[in-house]
Amino acid sequence: MNLRILGIELRRSVAPWAAVVVLAAALALLHLVSGPWAKGTALWTAQWTSMALWTRYPLIFLWPLAVGLGGLQGLRDHRSNMAELLISTPRPARHRAAALAGTTALALVSSFALLVLLGAARVLAGDATYTHLGWLPVSLVGALALTAGSVLGMGIARTVPSALTPPALAVGAFLLTNLLRQTSDAATPTSAVPNRLSLLSPAVAEVRETLLTLSAPVHLGQTIWLLGMAVTGFVLLAAATPRARLLALTPLLAGAAVALLQFPADPRATYVLDREAATPVCDGPVCVTTARRARIEDLAAPGAEALRLLHEALGDRAPTGVRETTVPRALGDTPERSRAYVLVDFDDAVIGEARGEELTRALVAQGIAPLCRPRSDTESGTLEEAAAQSIAAAWVLGELRPLERTMHDTGQQAAVADPVWKTFMARTRAEQRQGINALHDAAVACSGDPLGALTGGPTR
């Protein structure tokens, strides 16, 4: 297909409009709708992998749209009453099919590539310091999905030339992607259908963990499945006999079978930890992951000071380092805890948005009383834990102050913490130290009542 034919096809097809609709819909979702892609450490412009995954996420409705628009394109000859005329021409049907499918595929791929380039520009303009190419397969499979969906839509519409075919294709594809939809409420995304079946969907789950990426078997299986889909669509578009149309289903079925064998059955083998991104980068005893090494400068000095204060407060029981947690968890699950390290989660605004002395206070509180209930945009922790952490930090730093940026306002925290603080400070210094040690043990074990531990009450 030369440039002249390409220009003619672009003028007389829906390909340019399909590209505009796909790009506009994706940009509207990512920029105008408030969602998890716009906040936290996993927002869509924070890191390369999260950018690639978030641009794949809208395929849950963009792929059905591409299938429906492809169906509309496939009806062009039928609407023009030119089908019999074109069959009688000496030009091979596969050449006409290639011009039609190639134009639409090029337009959709260009549209998706522009979306990815806009995201890449935002990532480069941000503070992402972990640069890698592991995100490229995620985006390449997304572009292939739009191409394969549109070509399949064309082939089906050419086989079943009805005005109802394009909307039926779009609705059917939308129902399919929602049936296969993965959710990210678990430590690794899950689906209502078996994991292998869910991976036939070109869309991905919401991104909650920037250290997770799709595994190589998933990329390979989806590529095989989508290539089989594209070949089937192309053969249907060029086929002239019922037998050829029946044989056209072979690549689709074979691709699905091979892909299902390739896909992992266990969701934990679908989204895997990017080990290079999770490699620690340290400044003394304070370490973060390579993916967020830009945070080490702000964390190093307050972290070292917090460790010094914790050693004075807890003695040999004190943590010896600060580490960013790398263990994926489900929503509501107990966060990772450690006696050896103060584990930080940058999605917790109490730590993630703090600087200087405020960050030191938050790290001291986390070191003495690590959270049993996570805090983030979707999880609030408990008021009692916030009060216990504020008391623990006050015992070390000498001033009772509610923690900033929790889901509980300062008045609520003060109402719970003040009576306990007064009772706690009325005890002898040795009893106070016993209470702090009991609080530390209860919090690390994630059992008992942390406030009760401070005042010598029951801890279970």
Side-chain angles (χ1 to χ4, degrees), residues 7-30:
I8 293 172
E9 286 292 339
L10 287 173
R11 287 196 299 272
R12 63 195 293 261
S13 72
V14 300
W17 294 107
V20 170
V21 169
V22 166
L23 180 61
L27 290 176
L29 173 72
L30 296 173

Side-chain angles (χ1 to χ4, degrees), residues 313 395 424-438 453-454:
W395 188 73
F424 175 69
M425 293 304 292
R427 306 175 74 191
T428 65
R429 186 68 179 177
E431 290 174 332
Q432 291 174 14
R433 185 175 294 276
Q434 282 183 342
I436 289 294
N437 288 338
L454 283 170

Side-chain angles (χ1 to χ4, degrees), residues 114-207:
L114 183 57
L115 173 66
V116 172
L117 287 174
L118 290 172
R122 295 279 299 275
V123 173
L124 288 172
D127 59 358
T129 55
Y130 174 50
T131 303
H132 61 108
L133 296 178
W135 61 274
L136 271 177
V138 180
S139 295
L140 291 174
V141 171
L144 178 60
L146 289 174
T147 298
S150 65
V151 175
L152 181 65
M154 291 180 211
I156 294 175
R158 178 65 64 87
T159 305
V160 187
S162 167
L164 298 177
T165 299
L169 286 172
V171 171
F174 183 73
L175 293 175
L176 178 63
T177 55
N178 276 273
L179 174 66
L180 303 179
R181 182 177 184 176
Q182 294 179 327
T183 59
S184 56
D185 292 340
T188 52
T190 58
S191 175
V193 299
N195 188 66
R196 284 194 171 106
L197 281 178
S198 71
L199 293 175
L200 293 175
S201 170
V204 297
E206 293 180 358
V207 184

Side-chain angles (χ1 to χ4, degrees), residues 368-380:
I368 295 177
L371 293 172
C372 289
R373 301 292 181 270
R375 291 187 298 236
S376 69
D377 290 330
T378 55
E379 301 162 298
S380 63

Side-chain angles (χ1 to χ4, degrees), residues 269-322:
T270 300
Y271 289 83
V272 296
L273 187 70
D274 184 339
R275 297 193 179 279
E276 184 178 349
T279 301
V281 174
C282 299
D283 185 338
V286 180
C287 300
V288 297
T289 60
T290 298
R292 277 189 278 274
R293 59 187 169 198
R295 303 297 301 264
I296 192 70
E297 183 177 348
D298 293 329
L299 188 63
E305 176 64 10
L307 291 173
R308 183 188 68 80
L309 294 169
L310 286 168
H311 181 73
E312 292 179 359
L314 298 175
D316 294 338
R317 300 157 56 92
T320 58
V322 177

Side-chain angles (χ1 to χ4, degrees), residues 35-371:
W37 49 84
K39 55 191 175 184
T41 60
L43 76 164
W44 80 286
T45 56
Q47 300 286 345
W48 290 101
T49 301
S50 56
M51 180 275 295
L53 289 170
W54 275 125
T55 51
R56 278 275 298 272
Y57 176 74
L59 291 182
I60 195 169
F61 63 87
L62 293 182
W63 186 76
L65 191 61
V67 174
L69 289 170
L72 185 63
Q73 180 79 325
L75 289 180
R76 185 181 67 182
D77 295 343
H78 176 74
R79 291 195 308 270
S80 304
N81 294 319
M82 295 175 58
E84 293 184 2
L85 175 62
L86 292 173
I87 291 174
S88 65
T89 61
R91 187 183 181 190
R94 63 179 181 276
H95 289 182
R96 296 193 303 271
L100 185 64
T103 302
T104 304
L106 178 62
L108 288 174
V109 168
S110 300
S111 175
F112 189 76
L114 183 57
L115 173 66
V116 172
L117 287 174
L118 290 172
R122 295 279 299 275
V123 173
L124 288 172
D127 59 358
T129 55
Y130 174 50
T131 303
H132 61 108
L133 296 178
W135 61 274
L136 271 177
V138 180
S139 295
L140 291 174
V141 171
L144 178 60
L146 289 174
T147 298
S150 65
V151 175
L152 181 65
M154 291 180 211
I156 294 175
R158 178 65 64 87
T159 305
V160 187
S162 167
L164 298 177
T165 299
L169 286 172
V171 171
F174 183 73
L175 293 175
L176 178 63
T177 55
N178 276 273
L179 174 66
L180 303 179
R181 182 177 184 176
Q182 294 179 327
T183 59
S184 56
D185 292 340
T188 52
T190 58
S191 175
V193 299
N195 188 66
R196 284 194 171 106
L197 281 178
S198 71
L199 293 175
L200 293 175
S201 170
V204 297
E206 293 180 358
V207 184
R208 291 182 48 246
E209 301 281 353
T210 56
L211 298 179
L212 292 182
T213 186
L214 287 169
S215 63
V218 175
H219 294 316
L220 179 59
Q222 290 184 335
T223 299
I224 294 171
W225 155 242
L226 292 170
L227 286 174
M229 182 187 300
V231 172
T232 289
F234 182 80
V235 175
L236 286 174
L237 194 59
T241 65
R243 182 173 179 272
R245 295 187 182 104
L246 186 61
L247 290 175
L249 298 176
T250 302
L252 180 69
L253 298 176
V258 174
L260 288 173
L261 292 174
Q262 184 70 32
F263 290 148
D266 188 350
R268 288 172 296 183
T270 300
Y271 289 83
V272 296
L273 187 70
D274 184 339
R275 297 193 179 279
E276 184 178 349
T279 301
V281 174
C282 299
D283 185 338
V286 180
C287 300
V288 297
T289 60
T290 298
R292 277 189 278 274
R293 59 187 169 198
R295 303 297 301 264
I296 192 70
E297 183 177 348
D298 293 329
L299 188 63
E305 176 64 10
L307 291 173
R308 183 188 68 80
L309 294 169
L310 286 168
H311 181 73
E312 292 179 359
L314 298 175
D316 294 338
R317 300 157 56 92
T320 58
V322 177
R323 297 286 188 275
E324 180 185 355
T325 182
T326 60
V327 176
R329 62 170 182 81
L331 288 172
D333 272 5
T334 301
E336 180 189 10
R337 297 177 313 288
S338 171
R339 291 187 181 273
Y341 302 108
V342 180
L343 296 176
V344 299
D345 180 357
F346 289 114
D347 277 324
D348 181 357
V350 174
I351 292 175
E353 297 179 15
R355 297 293 185 274
E357 188 274 333
E358 184 184 353
L359 179 55
T360 300
R361 177 177 289 271
L363 291 172
V364 168
Q366 177 70 4
I368 295 177
L371 293 172

